[in-house]
Structures are given as structure tokens and as C-alpha cells.
């Protein structure tokens, strides 16, 4: 095993956490209906629920907070932010939003009409919901490799070109754009390759269809391109990001991931007329185009965070930290999607609970056991995938189930990873004793956020 790199930063402020005792943890779990979304942060020892909005800010970012020019219109923070985003993306127009799904609302609302189809590699759940909300239909053009945790494929986030060709041929009049997500949860946070982005571009050009990129973890994606794709080892991540985005017509980003901020996002496009439509929607849902639903200081903090997120010493450490937790889990016999990518470690819950069938909710069992054994919070859920079956020429709804151990950026040390692995060790030793869970409550909309469960037996 390679050694973990020492982080390229040191700790200047600390935030205390507490591990409730076992009796408390039992009570907390019961009262929370065994849902990670009903537990208070104060009751969690190590929180791996999400890598979104949970990064530790740098001293430069905290200093940027004090440079807020809180003018409603024309704040200097906006112009700094605009300059940084233009430099990173290469697109002329920069529209700030309060987070990623707000960017989805603004961009998709300007592009999608009822009956449209939006093909992509994989759509995240808010992405999917915003497409459906505008009357569109998301289709995931991922390949069969998605369902195989053991398949060591460096770019599991790739779109399957054969499936794209099929959908374009059948439905091109109803496709306003193709959406590519760089490092998506649904594809176990495995990247999409530059070759795949280029191939998508070539196919899209045949029908004159634009491409947009969901860039929330695109720096991690492009760092993984640098590591894994030939021809990119000597390029900087910033250059790789610019090249990848040059094959697209625009992008949007939840800066809560690779942008290293706790809140913020943007849309960035080349087309003037589209940018104007987005700005009009922005005023309706977010705010004036020079603040987009944020405090102006947040724009300044994002400008700093985006540059720090592109720093390769940071990215090297970050990707290695994810890999390290993956290695520790694999040593325990836990099946992990390999090679690991960005954002966190994705686990096949059936490798821990082979005796539990799908209906007995092994993903809920894993959360309950991780919390009970060590106060660790993470989440497992089935993700819907609208998959194209080429043989039958049909789109079918499948689901892809995994547990995600998302790692907040710059917030945790090697010792935290080892603690989580030790808890996982105790969980795997006793997993046979877990008889599974049943649903007590599952609302129709965004079910997994509000659900409650109870143990069987
Ligand atoms: N796209 C992807 C691929 C995401 O993972 C997320 C959020 C969004 C868009 C929406 O961004 O949260 O800023 O509105 N993912 C978080 C997660 C919630 O836990 O993976 P947002």
C-alpha cells in the first residue's frame, strides 16, 4: 500500500466533535427512524453523509469574507468572481447561483420544453428532478459496466457512444442538449474520459446538438484524466479543464464540491442570447445577476475556493485520501467500486450483508450498524437509472444501489479514515446478526430524504 501524503496545509482552527455513548446511539437511531437524514450533526462523530458544502475553508477564504462589497448591483466581488470563472471555463458569460440545483433550474428552465429528452452519462437526483420539472425526460446512457463493482475500469462515468448514437438517431428533434456529468455519484464518482467527451462532441455535431457539463466535481474529474489517460500526464489540471470544456457549449457548477465553499454555484455559457434568458430567470428565482442569491462576500470566497480547488498538490492529496479509505475497506473484504475516484468511497452493500435481500434494505442496515458501532454517518440508497436496452430498443427504469462514504474536503485526517475502517471492521464481523429493515414511512416525493424504517425481528 502506498503511503498517504501529508496534506499540503496545516490546521489553524478546530471544531470539537463528540461520540455519544452506545446507549445514546441506540436511542438516537430509534428516534430517527434509522434514517441518516433525521440525526443531528451534534450526534455524529464522523460525518460522511456528503462531500457537498462540507469543505473546510482556508485562511485566505475567511479573509475574503471580510472583503465583501455588499452592494445590490455591481459589487466588485462579482467582477472578481466573473474573472476567475471565465479564466477557468473559457466561457464569456458567468451567472452566479446559490448552489448547483439553482443553476439547474436557471439553465434547464431556459432550454427545456415539455416532451424533450435529455440524454446524459448519468443524471444526479436534483438534475433528474429539474429536468422532469420542466417537462423533460432524462435518459442515462451509461454502459453495463455500472452494475459491476469488480470491473476495474478507469472511466466508469463514460457515456456509452453506441447508446448515444441510438438515442440521437431515434429522437434528435426532441433533444435540446446533451448533459455530461464529470464525476457523478451515480457512477460511483468515477470520471469521464477526455476521449469520451470528444466522441460525444462528434456525435452531437452530426445533429447540431449542444453539450453542457455538470462540473461540480470537474477538477477531480480532470485530475483523474491527468493520472489515467494517456497524453495528459504533462498537462496542468487547469489546461485539462479548459480543453474538456472547449468541447461543450457551457457548464454549471455546484461550487459546494470542488469549489471548496459551503454555499454557491454558477452557470457559465458562451451564447449571449442564452445567457440573457438565464439572467431573466435568475432575477425571478435567485436575485440580480451580480449576486445570484448569495451574499457578495460568498462570491469572493468562491473566487478563492475555485483557484484552491484547482491546486494540484491539494488534488493529489485529496484523491489519495479517497483511495486510502477504499484500500482499507477492500482489505476487510468489503467490495468497493475500483479504482476509487473523487468525492468518496462507494460500497456494494451486498458484500457486507449477503444474507439480506433487496427488500430487507441492506443499505439501511449498513447505516444503522456504522452509526451504532462508531457514530459514523453515511448513506445508502437505490438510484434510479433510465437505461437504454439496445437489444430491445427500449428505455427501462433500473436502479443502482450502493452506500456512499463521501469525504468532506480538507476537513478530515488519515486517522479519521482509519477510525472509519476500524468501525467497518466491527460492522463486517457482526453483519450476520443484522436481520434487515422494513419501511415504515416513504413519501412519494424525495422519498429517501424523509423515510423512516424499523428493524426486522
Ligand atoms: N450535480 C451533481 C452531480 C451533484 O452531486 C449535486 C449535489 C448537484 C448537481 C446539485 O448541487 O447540492 O449544490 O444543489 N450533490 C450533493 C451530494 C447533494 O450529496 O452528492 P447542489
Amino acid at each position: 500500500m502506498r503511503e498517504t501524503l501529508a496534506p499540503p496545509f496545516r490546521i489553524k482552527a478546530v471544531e470539537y466533535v463528540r461520540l455519544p455513548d452506545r446507549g445514546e446511539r441506540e436511542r438516537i437511531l430509534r428516534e430517527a427512524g434509522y434514517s441518516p437524514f433525521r440525526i443531528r450533526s451534534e450526534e455524529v462523530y464522523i460525518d460522511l453523509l456528503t462531500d457537498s458544502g462540507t469543505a473546510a475553508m482556508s485562511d485566505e477564504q475567511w479573509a475574503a469574507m471580510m472583503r465583501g462589497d455588499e452592494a445590490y448591483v455591481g459589487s466588485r466581488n462579482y467582477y472578481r468572481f466573473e474573472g476567475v470563472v471565465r479564466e477557468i471555463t473559457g466561457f464569456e458569460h458567468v451567472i452566479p447561483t446559490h448552489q448547483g440545483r439553482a443553476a439547474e433550474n436557471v439553465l434547464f428552465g431556459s432550454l427545456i420544453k415539455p416532451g424533450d429528452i435529455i440524454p446524459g452519462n448519468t443524471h444526479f437526483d436534483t438534475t433528474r428532478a429539474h429536468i422532469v420539472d420542466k417537462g423533460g425526460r432524462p435518459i442515462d446512457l451509461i454502459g453495463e459496466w455500472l452494475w459491476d463493482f469488480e470491473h476495474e475500469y478507469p472511466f466508469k462515468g463514460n457515456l456509452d457512444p453506441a447508446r448515444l448514437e441510438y438515442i440521437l438517431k431515434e429522437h434528435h428533434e426532441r433533444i435540446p442538449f446533451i448533459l455530461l456529468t464529470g464525476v457523478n455519484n451515480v457512477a460511483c464518482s468515477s470520471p469521464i474520459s477526455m476521449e469520451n467527451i470528444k466522441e460525444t462532441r462528434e456525435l452531437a455535431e452530426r445533429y447540431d446538438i449542444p453539450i453542457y457539463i455538470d462540473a461540480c466535481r470537474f477538477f477531480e474529474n480532470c485530475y483523474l484524466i491527468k493520472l489515467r489517460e494517456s497524453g495528459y500526464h504533462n498537462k496542468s489540471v487547469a489546461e485539462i479543464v479548459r480543453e474538456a470544456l472547449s468541447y461543450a457549449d457551457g457548464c454549471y457548477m455546484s461550487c459546494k464540491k470542488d469549489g471548496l465553499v459551503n454555499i454557491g454555484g454558477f452557470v457559465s455559457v458562451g451564447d449571449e442570447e442564452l445567457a440573457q434568458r438565464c439572467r431573466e430567470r435568475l432575477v425571478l428565482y435567485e436575485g440580480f445577476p451580480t449576486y445570484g442569491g448569495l451574499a457578495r462576500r460568498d462570491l469572493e470566497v468562491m473566487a478563492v475556493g475555485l483557484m484552491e480547488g484547482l491546486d494540484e498538490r491539494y488534488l493529489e492529496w485529496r484523491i489519495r485520501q479517497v483511495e486510502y479509505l477504499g484500500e482499507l475497506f477492500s482489505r476487510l473484504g468489503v467490495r468497493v467500486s475500483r479504482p476509487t475516484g473523487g468525492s468518496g468511497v462507494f460500497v456494494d452493500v451486498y458484500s457486507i450483508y449477503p444474507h439480506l435481500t433487496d427488500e430487507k434494505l441492506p443499505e439501511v442496515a449498513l447505516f444503522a450498524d456504522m452509526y451504532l458501532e462508531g457514530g459514523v454517518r453515511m448513506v445508502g440508497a437505490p438510484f434510479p437509472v433510465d437505461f437504454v436496452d439496445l437489444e430491445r430498443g427500449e428505455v427501462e427504469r433500473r436502479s443502482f444501489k450502493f452506500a456512499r462514504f463521501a469525504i468532506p474536503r480538507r476537513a478530515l485526517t488519515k486517522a479519521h479514515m482509519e477510525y472509519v475502517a476500524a468501525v467497518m471492521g466491527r460492522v463486517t464481523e457482526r453483519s450476520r446478526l443484522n436481520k434487515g429493515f422494513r419501511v415504515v414511512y416513504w413519501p412519494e416525493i424525495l422519498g429517501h430524504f424523509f423515510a423512516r424504517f424499523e428493524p426486522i425481528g
Side-chain angles (χ1 to χ4, degrees):
M1 187 189 279
R2 281 202 295 129
E3 273 189 22
T4 304
L5 294 167
F9 50 81
R10 58 189 171 203
I11 295 164
K12 187 167 341 213
V14 295
E15 181 183 4
Y16 277 90
V17 289
R18 175 182 159 264
L19 177 62
D21 66 35
R22 196 174 175 103
E24 277 180 86
R25 300 201 295 273
E26 269 169 21
R27 176 186 56 77
I28 290 165
L29 265 178
R30 204 171 43 244
E31 288 176 4
Y34 300 88
S35 162
F37 297 104
R38 292 178 182 273
I39 292 185
R40 293 181 186 210
S41 161
E42 285 173 339
E43 296 165 340
V44 175
Y45 191 46
I46 298 186
D47 200 350
L48 305 184
L49 184 74
T50 179
D51 63 322
S52 182
T54 51
M57 293 215 296
S58 68
D59 51 355
E60 291 297 333
Q61 285 176 295
W62 284 109
M65 280 266 180
M66 289 303 293
R67 294 196 292 268
D69 159 11
E70 301 299 337
Y72 194 93
V73 171
S75 160
R76 67 166 178 265
N77 307 128
Y78 170 74
Y79 295 104
R80 162 121 200 255
F81 170 71
E82 180 191 49
V84 166
V85 175
R86 269 191 191 152
E87 177 64 29
I88 291 172
T89 66
F91 299 118
E92 170 75 15
H93 304 285
V94 178
I95 296 151
T97 62
H98 81 272
Q99 62 181 69
R101 67 202 68 183
E104 287 168 347
N105 186 28
V106 165
L107 182 66
F108 298 171
S110 308
L111 290 170
I112 300 175
K113 50 181 196 320
D116 282 350
I117 289 176
I118 314 300
N121 47 350
T122 48
H123 296 86
F124 181 66
D125 57 5
T126 60
T127 319
R128 168 177 297 280
H130 272 291
I131 293 171
V132 172
D133 180 61
K134 315 300 176 274
R137 180 179 185 198
I139 295 183
D140 306 286
L141 300 173
I142 200 81
E144 288 284 357
W145 57 77
L146 182 65
W147 281 269
D148 187 355
F149 278 82
E150 311 249 271
H151 185 112
E152 283 248 4
Y153 183 40
F155 293 104
K156 288 185 182 172
N158 278 357
L159 170 152
D160 183 344
R163 291 186 161 82
L164 177 59
E165 234 177 321
Y166 170 81
I167 285 290
L168 286 174
K169 211 154 94 204
E170 294 287 310
H171 301 291
H172 59 93
E173 318 86 14
R174 291 203 283 150
I175 300 178
F177 63 94
I178 296 167
L179 185 69
L180 296 179
T181 301
V183 175
N184 189 356
N185 304 307
V186 187
C188 294
S189 277
S190 182
I192 175 168
S193 70
M194 189 72 83
E195 191 190 4
N196 197 248
I197 297 173
K198 281 199 228 170
E199 224 172 341
T200 303
R201 175 87 212 174
E202 276 160 32
L203 286 169
E205 266 177 4
R206 279 194 218 161
Y207 297 94
D208 204 19
I209 292 175
I211 296 176
Y212 293 94
I213 291 189
D214 174 345
C216 69
R217 300 185 184 90
F218 211 54
F219 301 163
E220 290 179 352
N221 195 103
C222 290
Y223 181 70
L224 291 163
I225 287 179
K226 181 178 170 116
L227 291 188
R228 296 180 187 172
E229 195 164 348
S230 72
Y232 290 93
H233 304 314
N234 297 323
K235 295 221 160 101
S236 71
V237 175
E239 284 171 322
I240 300 172
V241 169
R242 272 294 276 266
E243 181 187 333
L245 292 178
S246 76
Y247 304 120
D249 297 83
C251 67
Y252 67 89
M253 181 166 185
S254 162
C255 295
K256 295 169 72 176
K257 287 87 171 165
D258 284 1
L260 299 175
V261 292
N262 305 122
I263 197 76
F266 65 81
V267 174
S268 183
V269 296
D271 184 77
E272 163 88 53
E273 197 257 328
L274 172 62
Q276 196 46 37
R277 268 186 287 148
C278 287
R279 288 193 188 102
E280 283 158 19
R281 254 184 99 76
L282 189 80
V283 175
L284 191 58
Y285 289 100
E286 296 285 289
F288 195 74
T290 56
Y291 77 87
L294 291 158
R296 274 56 71 199
R297 58 179 172 269
D298 294 327
L299 299 172
E300 190 75 20
V301 172
M302 265 200 286
V304 178
L306 285 164
M307 294 314 291
E308 291 179 354
L310 266 176
D311 182 301
E312 294 186 24
R313 288 182 316 143
Y314 152 72
L315 283 167
E316 182 185 16
W317 170 80
R318 159 77 182 163
I319 293 297
R320 176 69 194 126
Q321 185 179 46
V322 173
E323 187 184 30
Y324 182 59
L325 182 62
E327 283 167 4
L328 295 177
F329 280 177
S330 296
R331 278 208 234 156
L332 295 167
V334 172
R335 196 179 301 129
V336 162
S337 174
R338 294 180 63 86
T340 50
S343 96
V345 176
F346 290 72
V347 163
D348 181 359
V349 288
Y350 300 106
S351 69
I352 304 169
Y353 302 95
H355 59 292
L356 296 184
T357 53
D358 207 20
E359 303 74 58
K360 292 191 174 160
L361 309 176
E363 69 281 13
V364 178
L366 181 58
F367 159 67
D369 282 349
M370 288 300 296
Y371 184 75
L372 189 63
E373 285 300 331
V376 175
R377 171 158 69 175
M378 35 63 67
V379 64
F383 264 90
V385 178
D386 285 310
F387 182 76
V388 179
D389 186 323
L390 281 178
E391 264 165 40
R392 291 191 293 124
E394 277 171 24
V395 177
E396 58 174 35
R397 171 61 62 90
R398 287 202 203 167
S399 84
F400 181 48
K401 192 177 269 192
F402 53 73
R404 180 179 79 167
F405 291 74
I407 305 179
R409 293 172 180 79
R410 300 195 296 208
L412 300 172
T413 64
K414 184 178 183 187
H416 289 103
M417 301 301 111
E418 286 164 4
Y419 175 87
V420 171
V423 174
M424 177 64 97
R426 296 203 291 277
V427 168
T428 52
E429 273 166 28
R430 279 162 231 189
S431 63
R432 291 265 165 197
L433 302 175
N434 196 319
K435 301 203 167 47
F437 282 78
R438 69 170 76 88
V439 173
V440 178
Y441 173 64
W442 187 282
E444 202 178 310
I445 296 170
L446 294 170
H448 68 279
F449 285 124
F450 303 109
R452 284 176 176 277
F453 309 95
E454 66 183 14
I456 296 173

